[in-house]
Amino acid sequence: MKFALVTGGSRGIGRAAGIKLADMGYHVLVNYRSNVAEAEKTLTLIEEKGGTGTLLKFDVGDNGQVQEVLGAWIDANKESFIEVLVNNAGIKEDVLLMWMKVEQWDAVLNASLNGFFYVTRLVLQNMLIQKYGRIINIVSLSGLKGMPGQTNYSAAKGGVIAATKSLAQEVGRRNITVNAIAPGFIKTDMTEGIDEKQFRSLIPVSRFGEPEEVAHAVGFFASPLSGYITGEVLNINGGMYS
Ligand code: NAP
């Protein structure tokens, strides 16, 4: 059995990515932080399509929990090699920098940037041993061009983009690719409350994207055939580059 881990797999883009990877034959480890009902729904959706998965509850930004839950799963399943890792978990706490609280800065950096580090470091060990792996980091247009009210979020995503490029150079010789996907506006809980009509004129494709349209690219990078693509950042933003 092939294994894939999707962090923040309970809702939105992570859920769609999990379903996509299950379609590709992976047993999907669906990580979530707190929303067990939505995580179970993701698992049901995977199983309804004939796939399999396992729920893993931990906060990616808490290294103790990552070690305790993911580390324990890896130790208890020595024959199970996680060959695809999707670092998708993330939150936003939008506020202008001058009003931003230390907690808001820390929470966003923790989930995206520290979460990337804690989870990847652990999963990478077996990828290095097996000489194969696909690491896919979900970043954001905000991490490339910046967005007012999102200095914390842009810093976190920009950090992951830079880390993607460095790690790709560290592990390329072991057949491990590291790529990033930078979505624009995608219809999920994260963008709930943002008026799509108001932004349509700024988006050449004139609509928000669907989580499945991001998951399609996750499947592309996860494919064994994508082995010569690494350190890349793929924009999925309906043409909204600036
Ligand atoms: P979402 O619908 O709000 O879902 C977020 C997911 O991340 C949930 O599964 C949540 O788990 C999980 N999560 C959050 N913090 C976590 C933590 N510390 N540890 C473990 N899991 C955590 O968000 P989304 O829109 O699908 O976003 C997914 C990723 O895409 C994020 O990294 C986001 O920054 C990025 N992105 C989204 C958009 C967009 O327009 N939607 C655009 C660009 C980039 P619970 O269900 O347990 O809370």
Side-chain angles (χ1 to χ4, degrees):
M1 197 181 270
K2 305 188 294 180
F3 287 78
L5 167 62
V6 181
T7 68
S10 52
R11 294 183 280 127
I13 293 169
R15 167 181 285 166
I19 293 170
K20 176 75 192 175
L21 291 166
D23 279 351
M24 291 167 68
Y26 287 97
H27 178 94
V28 182
L29 303 177
V30 179
N31 157 255
Y32 67 105
R33 182 180 47 174
S34 56
N35 200 332
V36 66
E38 291 298 310
E40 280 170 353
K41 198 170 154 192
T42 300
L43 195 53
T44 303
L45 289 167
I46 286 173
E47 288 169 353
E48 277 173 4
K49 295 187 81 182
T52 59
T54 303
L55 299 184
L56 285 185
K57 179 179 188 289
F58 60 88
D59 179 343
V60 296
D62 180 334
N63 192 35
Q65 285 188 32
V66 173
Q67 297 295 329
E68 222 170 87
V69 180
L70 180 59
W73 188 92
I74 291 170
D75 286 346
N77 295 274
K78 290 223 180 324
E79 304 303 309
S80 308
F81 162 48
I82 300 172
E83 62 175 54
V84 177
L85 166 62
V86 184
N87 285 305
N88 165 77
I91 55 167
K92 68 178 171 74
E93 284 270 356
D94 293 357
V95 57
L96 295 176
L97 184 86
M98 73 173 288
W99 306 115
M100 192 177 288
K101 298 189 181 102
V102 170
E103 295 77 28
Q104 292 174 309
W105 176 269
D106 287 346
V108 171
L109 269 285
N110 239 339
S112 280
L113 189 56
N114 293 344
F116 156 81
F117 172 57
Y118 300 146
V119 174
T120 304
R121 188 176 49 162
L122 201 53
V123 172
L124 188 62
Q125 291 169 14
N126 277 337
M127 290 182 174
L128 290 168
I129 292 166
Q130 300 288 338
K131 296 194 177 65
Y132 184 83
R134 296 282 181 265
I135 299 171
I136 301 153
N137 300 320
I138 309 299
V139 293
S140 171
L141 175 62
S142 186
L144 288 163
K145 75 174 277 289
M147 208 79 90
Q150 292 200 321
T151 50
N152 49 358
Y153 187 78
S154 303
K157 297 301 191 183
V160 175
I161 289 167
T164 299
K165 294 175 183 178
S166 289
L167 185 59
Q169 293 175 52
E170 289 184 14
V171 298
R173 285 159 69 106
R174 298 274 177 136
N175 289 319
I176 301 167
T177 64
V178 191
N179 291 290
I181 296 173
F185 288 101
I186 308 297
K187 280 185 226 160
T188 68
D189 293 344
M190 190 175 270
T191 50
E192 208 176 63
I194 300 176
D195 185 7
E196 188 176 348
K197 280 189 220 110
Q198 204 186 319
F199 284 92
R200 263 190 198 148
S201 61
L202 299 173
I203 308 169
V205 169
S206 195
R207 63 173 176 84
F208 283 8
E210 300 292 339
E212 291 72 21
E213 292 176 305
V214 180
H216 174 66
V218 170
F220 170 75
F221 282 128
S223 166
L225 288 172
S226 297
Y228 207 56
I229 305 169
T230 196
E232 189 59 61
V233 184
L234 179 66
N235 290 282
I236 303 185
N237 58 22
M240 190 190 174
Y241 290 97
S242 58

